Amino acid sequence: MPEDEEDIFSDERENIERPMSRLLGKYAKRYPAPVGVALTANLISPLLGLAPAWLLALAIDGLFTESTPYSLPLVPTAMLPETTAGKMLLTVSLFVSVYALTTVTTWLGSWGWAVFAENVQHDLRTDVYDKMQGLGMEFFSDRQTGELMSVLSSDVNRLEGFLNGWLGQLLNILVQVIGISAIMLATNWQLALVALLPAPLLTVVSYLFVQKVRPMYREARGTFGDLASRLENNLSGIQVVKSFTNETFESSRVEGASQEHKDARWGARRWGIRFGPMLTLINGIGFSLVFLVGGWWVLFGPPLSVFSGSVTVGTVVMFLQYTRQIQGPLTQAGQLLNNFERVKASAERVFVLFDYPVSIPEADEADELEDPRGAVEFDDVSFSYPDGEEALTDVSFDVDPGQTIGLVGPTGSGKSTCMKLLLRFYDVTEGAVEVDGQDVRDVTIRSLRSSIGYVSQEPFLFTGTIRENIAYGLDVTDSEIESVAERANAHGFITDLEDGYETEVGQRGDRLSGGQRQRIAIARVLLRDPEILILDEATSHVDNETEVLIQQSLDELTADRTTFSIAHRLSTVRDADRILVLDDGQIVERGPHDELLDRGGLYANLWRVQVGEVSSLPEEFLEEAAARDRA
């Protein structure tokens, strides 16, 4: 498949500039101490790592071949031991000291980066989650849960690996390469040019490699999101899979998604496998050249007329050591470039979320909705969804505090959309929605939604206990929890359970029946005591006996509250103070139940459907219903 079909963030990622520098700029300043320690250690440690080869050359030339006097920079000759044995012991002590200091600085560097990485990973995950929570509902309606989960898990984890080692390794490589090059050039610039001859070739090969694998890793990242979404959907719908005996069908779909991810990853890995050996070959050729030119120089003099002067055995050994020593950093640089492209793709996806515009902004001067009474007004409200679909047109109504309003109409008529505008999940295109005379756009989102309780037809319970689900986010006593459970007709069945209020509800509450979940959801809303209540088909998916119990709970819940009841089962709204009948985004009828029946309009026809009087329905209504179904 094309990359755009695999990665829902592919288009947005093209607009993300310098994601890695943004990442460091955003978080490094939060942890200056560990970053400072790590940077200092990563400067000192590789420099210390250059000393052993230099000391070895010093020992060979000054002690074994005695081709040059034994000396140490910045150390007066008078302070050096006079005997050969003393010089030998001094050299050994310098070796031990260098390795000891290298151990300490390496540990400090690892500690600093580890502390930094762990803290940034934590901050990054919570910051991304907080940003996602603040995004509008249209963002979530267009994206699969598995894709978003892959950002919070896989992408953030991959960035942790980058922060925990990549920066330190990169600095280590730069210091080693620059340090080795400087020492070799200062010692014998002619032989140094031979030793550094492979460097341009390595640079070209590395550049070509990066250009080749960059799109491959982007595609691999996208296919992983598709695979994660497939797995999440299948596991969430496992009951449907089993009931349709479609295990084999779903296994084949998972296998297909996994194969696509495998193929995308293998395309990049194949080039990565070639890259490492290619670097080794190039460095091996460089080592051989240094041995040939340096050895020939020692044995027979300058190998070519362009070379001049002499070279000692110690110098050749030092150059061979540095040639081998530089191979590791350069090979490691290739691997870092390889990994960099992978983590860069993850960083781009993270910053797509950070940069995603907030569709429901809160004004800086927004007021708190204090002591709400529950008065609601829709004033000439029109609304179209982001995709251009018009959902409401010129909708107007007002509700006094404590009134119950029924919202009925065919599927897609705009009932739920009205309530989404009241909750400010979306903002109106035209007109205004007001609560207690205040436009909902002029009050804080938190205070608005805190004054509204919502009970859906499929209540969502979080993994945890019944007690935790009722208390959800509130610091309340056990007696308060049990009190609202009794009022919600839930206390009886809860105490009959083996673990009572400590019963684990399972994922999405699947260990409880639909009616039990519904009453727990009602108790959860009762505990918050909102002034405005939205009931969205609250009894549509339960049997008649359970409906009676839930209806008793709802009677307790709706008492003295402004209530909006969305209903297909019209019996649940027949006692409402007023019923609003919507069709195609407009209010076509309004009034109490009996009055609407007498009018003989859309509501009366919907009622006939409910009570089984299908034969008395007008032909026009049946034709419109068929047209809506086809649409």
Side-chain angles (χ1 to χ4, degrees), residues 409-411 581-584 588-589 600-603 605-606 609 617-631:
T411 300
V581 185
L582 287 92
D583 187 22
D584 197 23
V588 295
E589 295 179 279
L602 177 58
Y603 182 84
N605 289 328
L606 293 173
V609 173
L617 290 171
E619 189 65 29
E620 182 182 358
F621 174 80
L622 295 174
E623 290 176 355
E624 291 176 352
R628 281 192 293 266
D629 183 62
R630 288 193 298 271

Side-chain angles (χ1 to χ4, degrees), residues 126-438:
T126 54
D127 287 351
V128 172
Y129 176 74
D130 286 344
K131 176 57 187 282
M132 287 172 63
Q133 282 196 131
L135 295 176
M137 294 303 296
E138 79 285 349
F139 173 84
F140 297 96
S141 64
D142 292 339
R143 287 160 176 82
Q144 299 183 62
T145 303
E147 185 68 30
L148 300 178
M149 284 295 297
S150 73
V151 178
L152 288 172
S153 56
S154 299
D155 287 319
V156 172
N157 287 341
R158 185 167 289 121
L159 290 174
E160 186 272 339
F162 160 77
L163 296 167
N164 191 20
W166 198 91
L167 288 172
Q169 292 172 10
L170 179 62
L171 187 57
N172 230 310
I173 290 168
L174 289 173
V175 173
Q176 284 191 68
V177 171
I178 293 173
I180 288 173
S181 300
I183 292 174
M184 289 196 299
L185 288 169
T187 303
N188 187 313
W189 67 270
Q190 300 168 96
L191 188 58
L193 292 178
V194 174
L196 297 174
L197 198 59
L201 181 59
L202 288 171
T203 302
V204 172
V205 170
S206 298
Y207 174 79
L208 293 176
F209 169 74
V210 170
Q211 297 303 308
K212 187 72 177 179
V213 301
R214 178 183 288 124
M216 294 180 177
Y217 275 120
R218 284 191 173 183
E219 182 181 357
R221 196 58 229 136
T223 57
F224 177 79
D226 184 67
L227 174 60
S229 296
R230 169 62 55 197
L231 291 171
E232 194 272 338
N233 278 327
N234 286 6
L235 293 176
S236 298
I238 192 65
Q239 183 172 327
V240 176
V241 174
K242 288 181 175 294
S243 65
F244 279 79
T245 63
N246 266 347
E247 290 88 346
T248 302
F249 171 69
E250 291 299 346
S251 292
S252 66
R253 294 213 291 180
V254 169
E255 182 181 0
S258 181
Q259 184 65 44
E260 289 185 9
H261 179 54
K262 172 190 170 184
D263 292 343
R265 282 178 58 85
W266 177 244
R269 279 183 174 273
R270 185 170 62 248
W271 283 95
I273 292 170
R274 296 170 182 172
F275 185 58
M278 179 63 70
L279 292 181
T280 301
L281 176 62
I282 294 171
N283 279 287
I285 293 172
F287 180 85
S288 301
L289 279 174
V290 172
F291 180 78
L292 174 62
V293 174
W296 190 282
W297 206 332
V298 170
L299 294 173
F300 309 112
L304 297 172
S305 58
V306 296
F307 294 109
S308 61
S310 61
V311 173
T312 66
V313 174
T315 297
V316 174
V317 171
M318 181 177 70
F319 272 58
L320 288 172
Q321 285 283 99
Y322 281 150
T323 302
R324 296 290 293 177
Q325 196 169 336
I326 206 172
Q327 178 180 345
L330 289 174
T331 302
Q332 195 178 37
Q335 296 172 345
L336 289 179
L337 287 172
N338 188 349
N339 291 333
F340 180 79
E341 289 305 310
R342 298 173 65 191
V343 299
K344 183 182 177 184
S346 293
E348 287 173 348
R349 288 160 62 87
V350 167
F351 280 107
V352 164
L353 290 177
F354 273 130
D355 294 348
Y356 200 89
V358 177
S359 59
I360 308 296
E362 183 173 279
D364 293 336
E365 63 277 7
D367 298 321
E368 291 290 322
L369 187 62
E370 298 180 354
D371 299 322
R373 298 179 297 108
V376 175
E377 181 178 359
F378 276 57
D379 184 11
D380 288 327
V381 168
S382 294
F383 173 72
S384 297
Y385 283 101
D387 61 4
E389 177 190 358
E390 187 174 7
L392 296 175
T393 304
D394 298 328
V395 172
S396 295
F397 62 88
D398 58 85
V399 183
D400 293 331
Q403 281 191 321
T404 296
I405 302 297
L407 295 170
V408 304
T411 300
S413 59
K415 306 182 296 296
S416 296
T417 301
C418 286
M419 296 301 96
K420 290 176 182 177
L421 296 177
L422 176 58
L423 283 160
R424 210 182 168 211
F425 288 160
Y426 298 93
D427 275 340
V428 300
T429 306
E430 296 179 15
V433 177
E434 297 182 357
V435 174
D436 292 346
Q438 292 181 273

Side-chain angles (χ1 to χ4, degrees), residues 586-607:
Q586 295 179 301
I587 297 177
V588 295
E589 295 179 279
R590 66 182 78 200
H593 172 78
D594 292 336
E595 181 180 316
L596 291 175
L597 286 183
D598 292 338
R599 289 182 189 173
L602 177 58
Y603 182 84
N605 289 328
L606 293 173
W607 180 260

Side-chain angles (χ1 to χ4, degrees), residues 446-461:
R446 183 178 183 83
S447 66
L448 170 68
R449 294 176 183 167
S450 294
S451 67
I452 303 174
Y454 178 71
V455 180
S456 70
Q457 58 183 323
E458 295 181 355
F460 186 94
L461 299 187

